[in-house]
Amino acid sequence: MTIKNILITGGAGFIGSNLALKLIAKGYQVTVLDNLSPQIHGSNPENTSPLYLSIKDKVNFIFGSVTNKSDWEKALKNQDAIVHFAAETGTGQSMYEVQKYVDVNINGTALMLDLLVNGDYPIKKVVVASSRSIYGEGKYISPELGAVYPTQREAVDMDKGDFEVKYHNSSALTLVGTDEESKIHPSSVYGITKQNQEQMVMTVCPTIGIAGVAFRYQNVYGPGQSLKNPYTGILSIFSTQIKNGNGINIFEDGKESRDFVFIDDVVNATILGIEKEEANNQVFNVGTGVATDVVTVANELAKNYQIDVPIKVSGNYRLGDIRHNYADLSKINQLLGFIPRVSFVEGLQKFAQWVNTQEVEKDNYQQSIDEMKAKGLYK
């Protein structure tokens, strides 16, 4: 399978632009389809978005939307592979902007597949950005029942400050890494749309002789991620709050954890998926395989910025949030030889050093909280 020309949808975004630059350095011809969403790129993106400016004049850039058929038709010409990143992101926002998330994430992907099935395009491989959010809660071991997959926690427990996950007829659970065979039961509209994207690509592509690859990315971070977007990216949100001298309000008891994976590792994993035949028609987790709790994140960031702000563990919570999830990386290691290279401490230092070179963004986080509160999603 010879791949030379690669289309990246959402290629002006955080992961997409980093991937584009690495692919160009490796000799690929890259086309980007992106709508330069103001939520990520600001109000004057052609002149002020660092992500867009990093790829400008280095890629064939098409300003357009994955919800527009003619934009797809223009972008798909003469491409060998598609990396489909374009999506609305953010679990909280997805719960009250349901139609927008479905239109972009599900219908945009359906439009792509429709064209591939019914049109004449030389596409050999489609790589789709899936998400750890499709798992909902992670995988746990029950002493009585073995591997279990708890559903959403009850508001009645969380109102009393009890945030741990529970499982019927089981004593205390032990968290383990979530592998690709784990139950898929998303707890947000965003997770549902990601599940749909993944399943459509992995179902349709093989029927027309196109290799499908899905990457279930954990929490991706690093230099270049949007510091403007108050709806996604806990490291960005906390950094903007700290830089504004504002206190950090940590949800629940602060012990909720995620798997934070550095952008360079994510790009390297994605390129393995593009280049290796072993990736064809496979689904992979991409993470570090390490769970880091939110209190640790806040404290490490404040330490890196050397700014002392109040860090308050509030007991507030968002409906639909999960408690824990970290990746089991056995499959991607065995099939693609992927090993994450950047530890959280090292990655956080690199991220903080970059943030220190950026203009301090306005802290719009409270606005996102107010929106969720008004919809009854924030307690």
Side-chain angles (χ1 to χ4, degrees):
M1 185 187 291
T2 306
I3 292 175
K4 186 173 176 2
N5 300 320
I6 299 176
L7 167 65
I8 308 176
T9 71
F14 173 43
I15 306 176
S17 59
N18 277 277
L19 176 64
L21 293 173
K22 189 79 181 273
L23 287 172
I24 291 162
K26 294 194 76 174
Y28 291 97
Q29 301 294 315
V30 176
T31 296
V32 164
L33 173 64
D34 202 295
N35 69 349
L36 299 179
S37 163
Q39 187 166 301
I40 297 159
H41 296 278
S43 57
N44 186 15
E46 284 93 344
N47 298 311
T48 61
S49 167
L51 292 174
Y52 169 69
L53 294 173
S54 73
I55 60 166
K56 187 185 175 191
D57 303 327
K58 295 174 187 167
V59 303
N60 170 29
F61 184 80
I62 299 168
F63 178 78
S65 169
V66 292
T67 60
N68 185 298
K69 186 179 178 183
S70 62
D71 291 341
W72 268 117
E73 288 170 334
K74 197 189 305 180
L76 285 170
K77 278 180 191 157
N78 304 318
Q79 301 299 327
D80 300 313
I82 304 167
V83 181
H84 186 35
F85 281 161
E88 293 294 336
T89 60
T91 54
Q93 191 180 29
S94 76
M95 301 295 279
Y96 57 90
E97 295 203 1
V98 179
Q99 188 174 351
K100 182 165 92 167
Y101 275 71
V102 169
D103 282 348
V104 175
N105 299 4
I106 298 176
N107 294 342
T109 305
L111 197 47
M112 171 186 76
L113 293 170
D114 218 76
L115 286 165
L116 294 182
V117 172
N118 298 301
D120 184 21
Y121 300 100
I123 302 293
K124 302 179 182 80
K125 185 176 277 197
V126 174
V127 177
V128 63
S130 186
S131 167
R132 62 110 190 132
S133 65
I134 73 171
Y135 294 121
E137 272 297 343
K139 181 178 181 179
Y140 294 78
I141 301 297
S142 155
E144 295 84 6
L145 305 169
V148 296
Y149 302 95
T151 52
Q152 279 179 270
R153 294 167 292 164
E154 299 288 337
V156 65
D157 293 324
M158 295 199 283
D159 286 340
K160 293 185 292 196
D162 179 4
F163 300 107
E164 288 303 333
V165 294
K166 296 174 178 56
Y167 201 82
H168 188 58
N169 291 334
S170 175
S171 52
L173 303 173
T174 303
L175 176 70
V176 293
T178 306
D179 55 59
E180 290 85 352
E181 299 305 310
S182 295
K183 183 176 179 179
I184 292 174
H185 59 148
S187 60
S188 67
V189 170
Y190 172 68
I192 291 167
T193 65
K194 282 289 162 186
Q195 177 186 355
N196 269 268
Q197 280 188 306
E198 177 188 304
Q199 290 178 332
M200 285 194 291
V201 167
M202 301 307 287
T203 301
V204 174
C205 284
T207 69
I208 51 173
I210 295 174
V213 185
F215 285 115
R216 295 171 180 171
Y217 298 121
Q218 293 278 337
N219 291 56
V220 185
Y221 74 99
Q225 74 184 88
S226 176
L227 299 172
K228 295 179 171 69
N229 188 350
Y231 298 99
T232 184
I234 188 175
L235 296 177
S236 295
I237 291 165
F238 283 179
S239 295
T240 299
Q241 289 178 305
I242 292 167
K243 286 290 195 173
N244 278 277
N246 296 335
I248 294 175
N249 174 25
I250 293 179
F251 295 162
E252 302 186 15
D253 57 3
K255 292 175 185 167
E256 61 275 21
S257 67
R258 300 291 184 270
D259 183 337
F260 296 94
V261 58
F262 195 67
I263 182 63
D264 294 3
D265 284 327
V266 169
V267 166
N268 291 338
T270 308
I271 291 173
L272 289 172
I274 294 167
E275 294 183 338
K276 282 188 172 272
E277 302 279 324
E278 293 88 340
N280 293 359
N281 305 315
Q282 298 289 339
V283 172
F284 298 101
N285 287 331
V286 180
T288 60
V290 177
T292 304
D293 70 46
V294 175
V295 166
T296 300
V297 171
N299 286 326
E300 283 293 318
L301 278 172
K303 194 163 73 182
N304 271 285
Y305 296 128
Q306 297 182 319
I307 298 172
D308 189 20
V309 296
I311 296 173
K312 179 188 170 197
V313 178
S314 67
N316 294 128
Y317 64 90
R318 293 187 306 188
L319 292 170
D321 271 357
I322 63 160
R323 180 66 169 169
H324 302 294
N325 191 309
Y326 75 95
D328 181 320
L329 300 179
S330 306
K331 182 178 178 183
I332 194 170
N333 175 247
Q334 286 162 10
L335 284 185
L336 304 186
F338 171 75
I339 299 169
R341 303 287 180 192
V342 183
S343 72
F344 184 64
V345 169
E346 182 192 348
L348 212 58
Q349 284 172 348
K350 290 181 177 182
F351 173 68
Q353 284 165 4
W354 169 75
V355 172
N356 283 335
T357 68
Q358 304 300 299
E359 195 176 316
V360 177
E361 295 291 343
K362 185 181 174 195
D363 182 3
N364 292 319
Y365 185 57
Q366 190 56 46
Q367 170 193 327
S368 72
I369 293 295
D370 290 343
E371 285 175 12
M372 281 190 289
K373 208 180 276 183
K375 314 287 186 207
L377 299 168
Y378 176 86
K379 305 292 182 182

